Amino acid sequence: MSFFWFLFLSAHFAIATSLVQLEDNDLRHKLSGMHLSLYHVTSLDPSLTSNSKSPISYSDIFNKDQDRVRYIQSKLANKVDVKSSDRTLGPKLVSTPLKSGLSIGSGNYYVKVGFGTPPKFSSMIVDTGSSLSWLQCKPCAVSCHPQVDPIFDPSTSKSYKTLPCSSTQCSSLKASTLNDPGCSASTKVCVYKASYGDSSFSIGYLSQDVFTFAPSYTIPGFVFGCGQDNQGLFGRAAGILGLANDKLSLIGQLSNKNGYGFSYCLPTSFSSPNSSKEGFLSIGTSSFPPSSSFKFTPLIKNPKIHSLYFVDLSVITVAGKPLGVAASSYKVPTIIDSGTVITRLPMSVYTALSNSFVKILSNKYPQVPGFSILDTCFKGSLKDLSSAVPEIQIVFQGGANLALKPENTLLEIEDGTTCLAIAGSPEDNPIAIIGNFQQQTITVAYDVANSKVGFAPAGCQ
């Protein structure tokens, strides 16, 4: 799923115009902070998983994933983002459950949050690569995709309001979405346009309402998009909850109150797609574990995309031995990303990693043809290979590392076929992205105020 910066395509001008015309005619705790459970999308709708190991095919997941990666590469190569402003540090924390998204047709993770007074709860995909949060809204003036929750009806909220074209928030849309905002000629309501790398998009009204992050924690005046034309590959989620480094993102809007930081732990998903396992999403600097359990690496500013979370990749080891590649091979833009599923590595690094795996495993488990973007595959189940798979260590500047266990390393594509769940990126535009599959069960803390990100093991199951 390409839940990333929003690129306003020329084909959408007509859609935005029709939306404005329709609008003119038809529309009018923890630690005193925030902590929510986080889920992979499998647990929302049992009917989607009752007859299959996974409710959506791996081909679909990998195709969406590849679209997202290509989009990141294009932005790094050709586009210049607008720098987000600094935020002050605060002391509070709030958290919510975080779950797997497979059951609502996504390889990503979702939280249940509320909008309006009284609150109506929706399943929102969590994305560190998106700035503006949005959800589908009635009357769906042009189009809404199917979702598991009732579509939000702003007319039932006592606190909902649209934002005018003259508002500062409307002026900020260009920096947050890379799209110029639209404006209703008759009502002067600000219209946002959010497009993604796979041609999915959402267009609607920039709005404000009470946001319920946890039962005892509400945020008045939360700015979000109320989508009236939502088309593409969003699964059955209600919308996107943006966690990028931007003033219109969730953390940007809450930074003065909670501290400019957040953390999450992603529960295992693909190995148990029908599981109700949950992780967590915590907003606020109090969410970070004790320093003794955490290893941090600096966040690196990228002049082309300021809203993403870049780090410096130092080395990768297999069974304790560094890969036999030059140090310069690691010097590519490297992003920690919740929305990319499969980790990408520069091709020379990936090739060395693949060769190491083949050397260790192929004597016992014969190689078989690859599947989609995964080309290092073996005959054998995940359970069989887990006892023989070597540990991978992804090491960043300063010594922070991700120690990958078998469930973070291997993916059983079909019965008896298991692949290394890492892929290479093209040599002509190399990039490294640490995807959510490799982040499973690890607590990842984004201390944006102090420009660092850290990792702690065994944060969830």
Side-chain angles (χ1 to χ4, degrees):
M1 170 62 62
S2 297
F3 300 138
F4 250 70
W5 323 274
F6 309 116
L7 177 62
F8 182 33
L9 303 178
S10 58
H12 297 156
F13 274 109
I15 298 171
T17 301
S18 65
L19 174 61
V20 171
Q21 291 172 342
L22 279 167
E23 186 270 353
D24 288 343
N25 294 330
D26 301 325
L27 297 180
R28 324 200 230 283
H29 290 125
K30 183 179 178 182
L31 299 179
S32 70
M34 300 198 298
H35 186 92
L36 288 179
S37 296
L38 182 65
Y39 308 90
H40 202 281
V41 184
T42 45
S43 55
L44 273 181
D45 188 349
S47 67
L48 291 172
T49 56
S50 58
N51 297 318
S52 63
K53 184 174 182 180
S54 176
I56 52 176
S57 72
Y58 287 126
S59 292
D60 287 342
I61 291 174
F62 296 156
N63 287 338
K64 295 174 187 177
D65 213 43
Q66 193 72 346
D67 285 335
R68 182 182 179 100
V69 172
R70 291 192 188 103
Y71 195 49
I72 295 172
Q73 291 173 315
S74 71
K75 306 305 286 184
L76 286 170
N78 301 314
K79 300 292 182 180
V80 178
D81 202 351
V82 181
K83 184 176 180 179
S84 58
S85 59
D86 293 334
R87 282 286 176 269
T88 57
L89 184 63
K92 296 184 178 180
L93 159 73
V94 63
S95 184
T96 187
L98 183 64
K99 289 189 176 181
S100 165
L102 290 179
S103 68
I104 57 172
S106 171
N108 298 303
Y109 292 80
Y110 77 91
V111 293
K112 295 279 281 190
V113 292
F115 292 84
T117 307
K120 304 296 182 182
F121 285 84
S122 297
S123 303
M124 303 282 286
I125 297 293
V126 170
D127 186 17
T128 58
S130 292
S131 296
L132 180 69
S133 301
W134 64 265
L135 81 164
Q136 300 193 118
C137 292
K138 288 186 176 181
C140 297
V142 179
S143 176
C144 282
H145 61 261
Q147 64 178 60
V148 293
D149 309 296
I151 294 175
F152 178 65
D153 186 349
S155 68
T156 65
S157 173
K158 299 176 182 178
S159 48
Y160 174 84
K161 69 175 183 178
T162 54
L163 289 170
C165 307
S166 58
S167 65
T168 57
Q169 296 93 336
C170 190
S171 299
S172 297
L173 279 176
K174 176 67 174 180
S176 299
T177 67
L178 303 185
N179 299 325
D180 291 316
C183 188
S184 165
S186 63
T187 63
K188 305 301 181 184
V189 171
C190 183
V191 177
Y192 76 90
K193 304 100 178 176
S195 315
Y196 304 90
D198 60 1
S199 297
S200 300
F201 64 88
S202 174
I203 300 174
Y205 312 125
L206 192 64
S207 306
Q208 275 188 322
D209 209 338
V210 174
F211 177 73
T212 300
F213 193 85
S216 60
Y217 197 98
T218 60
I219 302 100
F222 181 73
V223 177
F224 65 100
C226 208
Q228 298 297 318
D229 188 7
N230 316 284
Q231 300 184 40
L233 303 176
F234 300 112
R236 297 181 69 187
I240 308 298
L241 196 63
L243 291 175
N245 184 8
D246 180 84
K247 64 182 179 181
L248 283 187
S249 74
L250 176 63
I251 62 162
Q253 292 190 57
L254 298 182
S255 61
N256 289 332
K257 187 173 184 179
N258 295 90
Y260 207 8
F262 65 99
S263 65
Y264 57 67
C265 184
L266 308 178
T268 53
S269 57
F270 293 98
S271 61
S272 51
N274 294 297
S275 172
S276 60
K277 291 178 181 178
E278 65 180 45
F280 63 84
L281 169 65
S282 298
I283 305 297
T285 52
S286 297
S287 66
F288 306 152
S291 57
S292 59
S293 64
F294 238 139
K295 294 181 179 178
F296 282 93
T297 187
L299 286 170
I300 307 300
K301 292 183 178 180
N302 186 288
K304 294 183 178 179
I305 308 175
H306 291 270
S307 61
L308 298 186
Y309 300 104
F310 288 86
V311 293
D312 273 345
L313 180 62
S314 295
V315 69
I316 294 177
T317 66
V318 176
K321 297 181 180 179
L323 297 177
V325 298
S328 59
S329 299
Y330 296 104
K331 303 305 179 184
V332 299
T334 302
I335 302 165
I336 308 294
D337 183 32
S338 73
T340 299
V341 179
I342 299 298
T343 287
R344 303 307 203 280
L345 296 173
M347 190 57 70
S348 60
V349 177
Y350 170 73
T351 300
L353 176 63
S354 174
N355 290 341
S356 294
F357 257 70
V358 171
K359 183 177 181 180
I360 293 171
L361 294 178
S362 61
N363 287 336
K364 188 174 181 181
Y365 302 100
Q367 276 193 275
V368 296
F371 180 87
S372 184
I373 60 173
L374 305 183
D375 60 14
T376 305
C377 301
F378 304 89
K379 184 177 181 180
S381 68
L382 175 61
K383 183 178 180 181
D384 293 337
L385 269 70
S386 291
S387 60
V389 65
E391 182 182 77
I392 297 176
Q393 293 255 2
I394 303 176
V395 185
F396 304 98
Q397 178 185 349
N401 69 290
L402 289 175
L404 304 185
K405 297 183 178 182
E407 57 267 28
N408 300 94
T409 305
L410 300 174
L411 180 59
E412 189 169 356
I413 296 297
E414 57 187 15
D415 289 342
T417 299
T418 302
C419 300
L420 174 64
I422 296 174
S425 65
E427 292 182 352
D428 60 345
N429 195 5
I431 190 174
I433 305 175
I434 309 303
N436 66 44
F437 191 87
Q438 278 63 48
Q439 298 177 48
Q440 291 177 121
T441 75
I442 296 167
T443 300
V444 184
Y446 296 76
D447 188 351
V448 184
N450 294 303
S451 297
K452 60 183 181 179
V453 62
F455 312 96
C460 58
Q461 295 185 341

